Amino acid sequence: MEICLFSIVSSSPEETIAAGERIAALLRKGSVVALCGGLGAGKTWLTKGIARGLGVTEEVTSPTYTIISEYEGRLPFYHIDAYRLRGDDEFATLGADDALYGNGVTVIEWSERVAQSIPDNALTIEISILEDTHRLIVVKEATP
Ligand SMILES: Nc1ncnc2c1ncn2[C@@H]1O[C@H](COP(=O)(O)OP(=O)(O)O)[C@@H](O)[C@H]1O
Ligand SMILES: [Mg+2]
Protein backbone atom coordinates (compact mmCIF):
# COMPACT_ATOMS: atom_id res chain seq x y z
CA MET A 1 0.00 0.00 0.00
CA GLU A 2 1.09 3.55 -0.57
CA ILE A 3 0.28 6.52 1.61
CA CYS A 4 0.13 9.97 0.08
CA LEU A 5 2.17 12.15 2.45
CA PHE A 6 1.37 15.50 0.83
CA SER A 7 1.05 17.25 -2.48
CA ILE A 8 2.30 20.58 -3.69
CA VAL A 9 1.14 22.74 -6.57
CA SER A 10 4.07 24.65 -8.04
CA SER A 11 3.48 27.56 -10.37
CA SER A 12 7.05 28.16 -11.55
CA PRO A 13 10.41 26.39 -11.85
CA GLU A 14 11.61 28.40 -8.85
CA GLU A 15 8.72 27.09 -6.76
CA THR A 16 9.60 23.56 -7.85
CA ILE A 17 13.14 24.14 -6.57
CA ALA A 18 11.70 25.38 -3.27
CA ALA A 19 9.51 22.25 -3.11
CA GLY A 20 12.62 20.12 -3.62
CA GLU A 21 14.38 21.90 -0.77
CA ARG A 22 11.45 21.10 1.55
CA ILE A 23 11.40 17.48 0.44
CA ALA A 24 15.15 17.27 1.15
CA ALA A 25 14.39 17.89 4.83
CA LEU A 26 12.64 14.48 4.90
CA LEU A 27 15.67 12.61 3.55
CA ARG A 28 18.32 10.72 5.49
CA LYS A 29 21.38 8.59 4.82
CA GLY A 30 20.26 5.83 2.44
CA SER A 31 17.05 7.56 1.30
CA VAL A 32 15.94 6.88 -2.28
CA VAL A 33 13.50 9.10 -4.15
CA ALA A 34 11.77 7.64 -7.23
CA LEU A 35 10.59 10.41 -9.56
CA CYS A 36 8.00 9.69 -12.22
CA GLY A 37 6.36 11.99 -14.71
CA GLY A 38 6.65 12.66 -18.42
CA LEU A 39 9.17 14.67 -20.41
CA GLY A 40 9.30 18.28 -19.25
CA ALA A 41 7.23 17.61 -16.13
CA GLY A 42 9.91 19.13 -13.91
CA LYS A 43 11.79 16.10 -12.54
CA THR A 44 15.19 17.69 -13.08
CA TRP A 45 14.12 21.00 -11.53
CA LEU A 46 12.82 19.17 -8.48
CA THR A 47 16.12 17.25 -8.31
CA LYS A 48 18.01 20.56 -8.37
CA GLY A 49 15.97 21.67 -5.35
CA ILE A 50 16.50 18.42 -3.45
CA ALA A 51 20.24 18.67 -4.12
CA ARG A 52 20.30 22.27 -2.93
CA GLY A 53 18.43 21.27 0.22
CA LEU A 54 21.09 18.64 0.88
CA GLY A 55 23.88 21.17 0.66
CA VAL A 56 25.05 20.41 -2.89
CA THR A 57 26.55 23.62 -4.28
CA GLU A 58 27.50 22.31 -7.72
CA GLU A 59 24.70 22.74 -10.28
CA VAL A 60 22.78 19.53 -11.01
CA THR A 61 22.37 19.06 -14.77
CA SER A 62 20.96 16.41 -17.12
CA PRO A 63 23.95 15.14 -19.06
CA THR A 64 23.02 13.35 -22.26
CA TYR A 65 24.99 10.15 -21.76
CA THR A 66 25.70 9.93 -18.05
CA ILE A 67 23.21 7.74 -16.23
CA ILE A 68 24.56 8.17 -12.69
CA SER A 69 26.09 11.44 -11.46
CA GLU A 70 27.54 11.86 -7.99
CA TYR A 71 27.70 15.18 -6.15
CA GLU A 72 29.11 16.23 -2.83
CA GLY A 73 26.74 17.63 -0.21
CA ARG A 74 26.12 17.04 3.49
CA LEU A 75 25.73 13.42 2.33
CA PRO A 76 26.86 11.96 -0.99
CA PHE A 77 24.13 12.81 -3.53
CA TYR A 78 23.45 10.56 -6.50
CA HIS A 79 21.32 11.62 -9.46
CA ILE A 80 20.23 8.78 -11.74
CA ASP A 81 18.39 9.42 -15.01
CA ALA A 82 16.91 6.16 -16.30
CA TYR A 83 15.45 7.72 -19.47
CA ARG A 84 17.91 6.02 -21.81
CA LEU A 85 17.87 2.63 -20.12
CA ARG A 86 16.05 -0.32 -21.64
CA GLY A 87 14.97 -1.54 -18.23
CA ASP A 88 15.98 -3.25 -15.00
CA ASP A 89 18.43 -5.65 -16.69
CA GLU A 90 20.47 -2.83 -18.16
CA PHE A 91 20.24 -0.89 -14.89
CA ALA A 92 21.69 -3.90 -13.05
CA THR A 93 24.88 -3.67 -15.18
CA LEU A 94 25.60 -0.11 -14.00
CA GLY A 95 26.54 -0.96 -10.42
CA ALA A 96 24.08 1.42 -8.80
CA ASP A 97 24.00 -0.48 -5.50
CA ASP A 98 26.54 1.87 -3.91
CA ALA A 99 24.07 4.64 -4.55
CA LEU A 100 20.85 2.79 -3.71
CA TYR A 101 22.10 0.94 -0.65
CA GLY A 102 24.94 3.19 0.53
CA ASN A 103 25.31 6.18 2.82
CA GLY A 104 24.02 8.87 0.50
CA VAL A 105 20.74 10.06 -0.95
CA THR A 106 19.66 8.98 -4.43
CA VAL A 107 17.11 10.56 -6.75
CA ILE A 108 16.04 8.52 -9.80
CA GLU A 109 14.31 10.21 -12.73
CA TRP A 110 12.10 7.98 -14.92
CA SER A 111 11.99 5.49 -12.06
CA GLU A 112 9.07 3.72 -13.77
CA ARG A 113 11.60 2.41 -16.34
CA VAL A 114 13.50 0.51 -13.66
CA ALA A 115 10.59 -0.22 -11.34
CA GLN A 116 11.93 -3.59 -10.12
CA SER A 117 15.20 -1.99 -9.01
CA ILE A 118 13.67 0.63 -6.73
CA PRO A 119 14.08 -0.25 -3.02
CA ASP A 120 10.76 -0.95 -1.25
CA ASN A 121 11.21 1.91 1.19
CA ALA A 122 11.78 4.60 -1.44
CA LEU A 123 9.71 7.76 -1.48
CA THR A 124 7.78 8.03 -4.72
CA ILE A 125 7.11 11.44 -6.25
CA GLU A 126 4.79 11.87 -9.20
CA ILE A 127 4.99 15.14 -11.10
CA SER A 128 2.38 16.10 -13.66
CA ILE A 129 1.77 19.12 -15.82
CA LEU A 130 -1.45 20.89 -14.89
CA GLU A 131 -1.36 23.80 -17.31
CA ASP A 132 1.23 26.29 -18.50
CA THR A 133 3.75 26.52 -15.70
CA HIS A 134 1.69 24.73 -13.05
CA ARG A 135 2.85 21.36 -11.82
CA LEU A 136 1.28 18.91 -9.36
CA ILE A 137 3.86 17.20 -7.15
CA VAL A 138 2.54 14.23 -5.15
CA VAL A 139 4.79 12.64 -2.53
CA LYS A 140 4.03 9.04 -1.50
CA GLU A 141 5.52 6.53 0.87
CA ALA A 142 5.16 2.75 0.72
CA THR A 143 3.93 0.99 3.85
CA PRO A 144 5.71 -2.22 4.90
N1 LIG B 1 6.36 24.84 -12.24
C1 LIG B 1 7.38 24.34 -12.96
N2 LIG B 1 8.25 23.46 -12.40
C2 LIG B 1 9.25 22.91 -13.12
N3 LIG B 1 9.49 23.17 -14.41
C3 LIG B 1 8.67 24.04 -15.03
C4 LIG B 1 7.59 24.65 -14.34
N4 LIG B 1 6.94 25.47 -15.21
C5 LIG B 1 7.57 25.37 -16.36
N5 LIG B 1 8.63 24.53 -16.29
C6 LIG B 1 9.51 24.18 -17.40
O1 LIG B 1 9.33 22.81 -17.66
C7 LIG B 1 10.58 22.21 -17.96
C8 LIG B 1 10.88 21.13 -16.95
O2 LIG B 1 12.10 20.56 -17.30
P1 LIG B 1 12.77 19.35 -16.56
O3 LIG B 1 12.81 19.59 -15.09
O4 LIG B 1 14.08 19.13 -17.26
O5 LIG B 1 11.74 18.17 -16.87
P2 LIG B 1 11.96 16.60 -16.78
O6 LIG B 1 13.26 16.36 -16.08
O7 LIG B 1 10.77 16.10 -16.02
O8 LIG B 1 11.96 16.12 -18.20
C9 LIG B 1 11.62 23.32 -17.96
O9 LIG B 1 11.77 23.79 -19.27
C10 LIG B 1 11.00 24.37 -17.07
O10 LIG B 1 11.40 25.67 -17.40
MG1 LIG C 1 14.99 15.32 -16.51
Side-chain angles (χ1 to χ4, degrees), residues 9 15 47 57 77 96 106 111 116 140:
V9 175
E15 280 190 19
T47 304
T57 50
F77 180 73
T106 304
S111 60
Q116 304 306 316
K140 298 176 181 177

Side-chain angles (χ1 to χ4, degrees), residues 43-44 62 81 109:
K43 298 180 296 300
T44 300
S62 279
D81 191 333
E109 293 191 45

Side-chain angles (χ1 to χ4, degrees), residues 32-115:
V32 176
V33 177
L35 287 184
C36 13
L39 204 60
K43 298 180 296 300
T44 300
W45 279 85
L46 190 72
T47 304
K48 288 173 188 283
I50 293 173
R52 190 181 288 182
L54 292 169
V56 174
T57 50
E58 196 182 337
E59 195 197 346
V60 170
T61 56
S62 279
T64 310
Y65 295 107
T66 313
I67 309 287
I68 305 181
S69 308
E70 185 177 355
Y71 298 88
E72 201 180 309
R74 279 191 291 281
L75 301 169
F77 180 73
Y78 301 93
H79 177 205
I80 299 179
D81 191 333
Y83 183 61
R84 283 176 191 77
L85 295 178
R86 283 187 304 274
D88 289 281
D89 289 349
E90 190 179 0
F91 187 62
T93 67
L94 298 177
D97 283 5
D98 284 354
L100 294 179
Y101 301 100
N103 288 323
V105 168
T106 304
V107 171
I108 309 176
E109 293 191 45
W110 294 102
S111 60
E112 60 269 50
R113 306 222 163 164
V114 293

